[in-house]
Amino acid sequence: CQETNKFLLLFSISGENYLDGRSAAMGDNSQDARIQRELMQIAQQEQAKAEFNGAVNKITRMCFDQCVSRPSAKLGYSGEQCFQNCAARFVEASEVAAQSVASAIQQQASQFQ
């Protein structure tokens, strides 16, 4: 996540000078727009990766704390089952929360139309 934030900061700093026409090595505007779109796409992909990795780390920490009482070299069958159930419950809860938020946003949007 820190690497992504550094990339986004670097992009915004370098992109500001490059994309607003103050760079000495500027090409035509259509090429600049294409480069800007590509850089934004890369930044969005990196942000999505960081968010996914953060979610995986959160699930892993939460389930580890719940399922492992004494760390050892191997995780037993019951520990594996606990991890699977824990992760599945977390994903289900996240989906329900996301659907609830989406529904609330949709309701608010329909009230303003």
Side-chain angles (χ1 to χ4, degrees), residues 34-105:
R34 181 185 58 77
I35 291 170
Q36 183 179 13
R37 284 191 306 273
E38 289 176 7
L39 289 174
M40 288 302 294
Q41 185 178 23
I42 291 168
Q44 289 170 347
Q45 289 170 350
E46 289 301 313
Q47 183 66 31
K49 286 180 194 176
E51 289 173 7
F52 176 78
N53 287 335
V56 168
N57 288 335
K58 182 177 182 178
I59 293 170
T60 301
R61 280 193 311 274
M62 183 182 66
C63 293
F64 183 87
D65 291 343
Q66 182 178 338
C67 297
V68 178
S69 57
R70 289 178 291 146
S72 62
K74 280 190 168 185
L75 186 62
Y77 177 77
S78 62
E80 287 180 25
Q81 291 299 310
C82 181
F83 259 98
Q84 288 175 358
N85 292 335
C86 178
R89 283 193 311 268
F90 184 85
V91 169
E92 287 172 12
S94 297
E95 288 174 352
V96 168
Q99 289 173 353
S100 177
V101 168
S103 176
I105 290 171

